[in-house]
Amino acid sequence: MTGPGPTGVGIGWRPEIAGFVAELPGLRFVEVVAEAVAPHGPPPPGLAALVERGVTVVPHGVKLSLGGAEPVDPARVAHLARVAELVGAPLVSEHIAFVRAGGLEAGHLLPLPRSREAVAAVVANVRRAQADLPVPLALEPIAALFDWPDDELDEADFLTEILDATGATLLLDIANVHANARNRGADPLALLDRLPLDRVAYVHVAGGAEQGGFYHDTHTDPVPPVVLDLIGELCARHRPPALLLERDGRWPPAPALRAELDAIAAASGYPAVT
Amino acid sequence: MSAPGGGDLAARQAELVAALVAGGPLPAGFAPAPVDAARRALLRKRAGDVARHWPLLAAGLGDAWPATFAGWADGRPTNGSLRDGWDLARELHRRGELPRLGAEELAVREAASRYDGATPPRPRRLPALARAGGAVAVRLAGRVRLLRPARR
């Protein structure tokens, strides 16, 4: 059975914070890293309890490498599809990025050239994935520390072309909007003004830190005020149906994590889930 | 050097990944400082991933974990967090630099699984004894126990 689409304020479910997440009274929406779930179930105990409660669970893939020049691995798509069915997900999400090439794993999400050739590669892989997925796919632009030398399109056109050609929805990471603008010396509001915000399925919010002259999207630091301000700017233009806090390590005490969820609720006007 | 739109995305992606994780040269046209920042960020990300698979090894090294891991992993592509941590633990063991907690974790892993250093570890089926840094772990009747802690 497929649950309702993501709404309100959610949090990325991780085993390390399963107890914290289980006790959030107003929570209606979580995400789980798809590759961390065994395909033939059962889901991890804490996650299964949330599914029982009717909380929407969105599997979030990180290793499909949809931006790879090679065809996406059908086994990885099949795994994402099985996880979606296991948790009754209304949609799944992945990145506009590549994570491996030439037989080497990069270990994280890498940016694509914003070229016609890269658009064609992503579109082909997204269509292959969509053909084998039981639910819609949302695509997330990543935070990049560097750009390719031969970009033909700006970020808004690059993303819009991919969404237009695939019918996928957008998973907008508002911290990535900040990171990319900060690291490129660009204006994040100019990007928000040009993105198809009516196609946003949900929004990621994460913490990061300045280091070595760059803003790093670490997911292990607090959400900085500048990112919370961008949530307000985003919602003033077009409020997304849901926003989700991603934290992947260096877990703060529960009150600090609750305060971050409350700050996201306050910035977006959605009810607090704590 | 590749021309834009030359239809060689696969080769250019491979060059870039090799530069980031395997000590390959910086592909033409890329700004060195941002790519180097990304290379170091990937090492920090890997260090965190491996620490989740080898929590005692990382805890045993404490503040030295990120630099120890980065020093070992730089230019060495990942074989997955489980194997990366295993290879690093064995390397530190050979150098006599494996901390006590890491020795105990390594002994338990060696007793539980057979790992040839080249292919994914496989669970052992037969009783086995493993030692590292004075730690002794045994696999008996399907269970793995630490028989003796590592030397202080």
Side-chain angles (χ1 to χ4, degrees):
Chain A
M1 201 185 83
T2 295
T7 50
V9 175
I11 186 166
W13 186 91
R14 308 286 184 263
E16 294 90 338
I17 52 168
F20 171 84
V21 176
E23 288 172 13
L24 293 170
L27 187 70
R28 306 300 310 142
F29 163 44
V30 298
E31 202 180 54
V32 62
V33 174
E35 285 82 355
V37 178
H40 298 295
L47 193 66
L50 292 175
V51 174
E52 281 293 301
R53 260 171 59 187
V55 172
T56 297
V57 180
V58 175
H60 183 55
V62 296
K63 291 188 175 173
L64 248 56
S65 206
L66 290 173
E70 306 88 9
V72 63
D73 179 355
R76 292 184 185 275
V77 179
H79 179 270
L80 182 56
R82 279 197 298 272
V83 174
E85 283 169 348
L86 199 62
V87 300
L91 77 160
V92 296
S93 54
E94 244 290 356
H95 301 86
I96 298 174
F98 74 108
V99 302
R100 67 183 68 83
L104 291 179
E105 295 283 333
H108 200 38
L109 307 157
L110 296 178
L112 298 172
R114 291 192 297 274
S115 64
R116 304 277 173 202
E117 185 188 11
V119 168
V122 177
V123 167
N125 273 334
V126 169
R127 286 178 178 158
R128 288 182 188 105
Q130 286 171 324
D132 289 339
L133 288 169
V135 291
L137 174 65
L139 296 175
E140 179 178 13
I142 64 165
L145 287 167
F146 62 88
D147 287 313
W148 288 64
D150 49 339
D151 289 337
E152 298 168 315
L153 303 166
D154 70 14
E155 185 151 0
D157 287 338
F158 177 70
L159 298 175
T160 303
E161 287 205 9
I162 292 168
L163 298 180
D164 281 348
T166 60
T169 53
L170 183 61
L171 163 49
L172 182 65
D173 188 316
I174 198 71
N176 291 355
V177 172
H178 166 67
N180 290 337
R182 152 73 182 81
N183 291 335
R184 288 177 188 143
D187 178 6
L189 301 182
L191 179 62
L192 289 185
D193 283 337
R194 293 199 45 233
L195 286 176
L197 298 181
D198 57 330
R199 284 191 242 175
V200 174
Y202 62 103
V203 165
H204 272 171
V205 184
E210 294 280 339
Q211 189 177 343
F214 295 89
Y215 179 86
H216 291 266
D217 176 51
T218 62
H219 297 196
T220 58
D221 292 281
V223 177
V226 62
V227 169
L228 292 171
D229 291 345
L230 273 183
I231 294 175
E233 293 284 353
L234 169 69
C235 293
R237 285 159 176 78
H238 192 284
R239 188 166 77 152
L243 302 95
L244 180 131
L245 175 65
E246 286 186 295
R247 180 87 185 207
D248 290 327
R250 287 174 58 199
W251 310 99
L257 214 47
R258 271 197 291 272
E260 289 208 325
L261 289 168
D262 289 346
I264 294 169
S268 62
Y270 281 114
V273 297
T274 56
Chain B
M1 165 113 191
S2 313
D8 54 0
L9 185 62
R12 300 182 68 214
Q13 287 184 337
E15 278 179 15
L16 181 62
V17 175
L20 287 167
V21 306
L26 182 71
F30 283 87
V35 173
D36 193 56
R39 182 185 63 79
R40 282 181 281 114
L42 287 175
L43 286 170
R44 282 194 297 276
K45 171 81 169 36
R46 264 177 83 184
D49 292 346
V50 173
R52 271 191 280 284
H53 281 78
W54 290 82
L56 298 181
L57 174 64
L61 287 160
D63 291 344
W65 166 252
T68 303
F69 179 81
W72 174 85
D74 198 7
R76 194 188 300 251
T78 183
N79 287 312
S81 295
L82 176 64
R83 283 176 61 187
D84 284 358
W86 209 312
D87 292 342
L88 172 57
R90 284 178 173 177
E91 169 72 22
L92 293 175
H93 187 221
R94 274 192 291 275
R95 287 194 235 149
E97 295 168 10
L98 188 61
R100 194 168 53 85
L101 282 172
E104 293 174 2
E105 194 165 39
L106 179 61
V108 166
R109 296 282 170 89
E110 300 275 11
S113 299
R114 182 190 305 277
Y115 175 43
D116 62 7
T119 57
R122 292 200 317 231
R124 292 185 190 275
R125 290 158 188 262
L126 300 174
L129 188 77
R131 304 163 191 276
V136 179
V138 65
R139 184 187 187 283
L140 256 184
R143 293 184 54 188
V144 180
R145 283 191 304 147
L146 189 66
L147 280 190
R148 197 168 71 198
R151 283 186 293 271
R152 284 185 175 276

